[in-house]
Amino acid sequence: MNNLNKFFESICKDRAKITGSPDGKIFEENFKSYLKRSGFNEMSLTIIDDGLKRFLKEIKPKILSKNDTQILKNSIYLNNTNRKDYANFFIWQPYGSQNFPDFLVFCQNYIFAIETKFSSKTSNKPMWNSNIPKENSIYVFASYQQRDLTFFLGHDVIEKKEREELLILWQKTDEEYNKWTKSFRDKINAGKFSNEYGFTTYIRKAYEQKNTHNKNAILNFFKNKNRKKLEDNVFEFINKHK
């Protein structure tokens, strides 16, 4: 059994224990502890070597891409003769606290992006904010009130064509917003507006799950009839990318 499978098996056994605090920070620390017990070392951004820093910068566009379909190979390990330091470790918040993912897990051959979602209240579904579920990424949703957690792959909860359609809206919105911004600025420069108090506007991109378009939409991840299949698919995905 590889280390990442071992990790997911361990959190399956201890779902109530790992979600036993209403504090999301404690949940993340618990999450780290289980990764360490499963054979992964934590690498801090403040102490990693220059080679790993360059590699993180190199893969950043692919990791952050809204619609990228790749799972990345751990080429810094595979292509390095002194490679023992470049596998079986994780980096927490590799691109900052506001950016995806929460964890980059480096196995020998592949790099897994894992995003954690935690609710201290009664929510049965994650809060997505501006990050739509990404293909080939693993999501862990935990609830303190439920004393439960579940996990799934991004492409198992939103199909590729549907994701693309949702992304198109924001692409079009960005184009229109840029046009508006230029027009507004030109009118200020031409003296049509004083803008003395600096009023402007911004667009807040956000995704949510509702039954607006599908009255039978699955909105409860804990009572989801497909829950076991979604979790089994994560194990299959990990085994496929050993």
Side-chain angles (χ1 to χ4, degrees), residues 11-159:
I11 64 172
C12 280
K13 293 176 182 176
D14 288 347
R15 296 180 205 249
K17 183 178 179 181
I18 197 173
T19 57
S21 168
D23 189 328
K25 291 182 179 179
I26 292 177
F27 170 74
E28 286 196 330
E29 289 303 319
N30 289 341
F31 199 87
K32 290 181 187 181
S33 296
Y34 277 77
L35 280 169
K36 292 172 185 176
R37 292 181 203 174
S38 301
F40 294 100
N41 295 316
E42 182 174 7
M43 297 279 277
S44 169
L45 288 172
T46 59
I47 63 170
I48 60 175
D49 62 37
D50 290 340
L52 186 52
K53 286 180 182 176
R54 285 193 298 270
F55 185 64
L56 285 174
K57 186 176 181 180
E58 176 188 324
I59 65 175
K60 182 177 180 179
K62 293 183 180 296
I63 295 292
L64 296 185
S65 170
K66 298 289 187 185
N67 208 27
D68 199 277
T69 61
Q70 299 181 47
I71 177 167
L72 299 181
K73 287 191 174 181
N74 186 1
S75 56
I76 193 171
Y77 172 82
L78 296 171
N79 300 333
N80 200 307
T81 53
N82 183 25
R83 58 190 196 174
K84 62 185 176 75
D85 293 332
Y86 295 129
N88 296 318
F89 70 92
F90 69 89
I91 299 176
W92 177 56
Q93 297 181 347
Y95 302 115
S97 60
Q98 300 302 314
N99 269 332
F100 174 92
D102 290 316
F103 295 88
L104 269 185
V105 179
F106 289 71
C107 296
Q108 288 190 352
N109 293 314
Y110 290 94
I111 304 166
F112 295 85
I114 302 178
E115 181 81 350
T116 59
K117 301 286 187 179
F118 181 78
S119 173
S120 61
K121 299 181 180 178
T122 58
S123 177
N124 293 314
K125 63 183 185 297
M127 183 177 291
W128 296 106
N129 296 320
S130 62
N131 281 314
I132 195 167
K134 298 175 188 288
E135 194 165 352
N136 289 329
S137 297
I138 301 172
Y139 293 84
V140 178
F141 176 48
S143 168
Y144 167 69
Q145 292 287 346
Q146 305 277 356
R147 294 295 198 282
D148 199 359
L149 65 78
T150 187
F151 44 89
F152 50 89
L153 295 162
H155 58 244
D156 277 345
V157 297
I158 182 167
E159 60 188 28

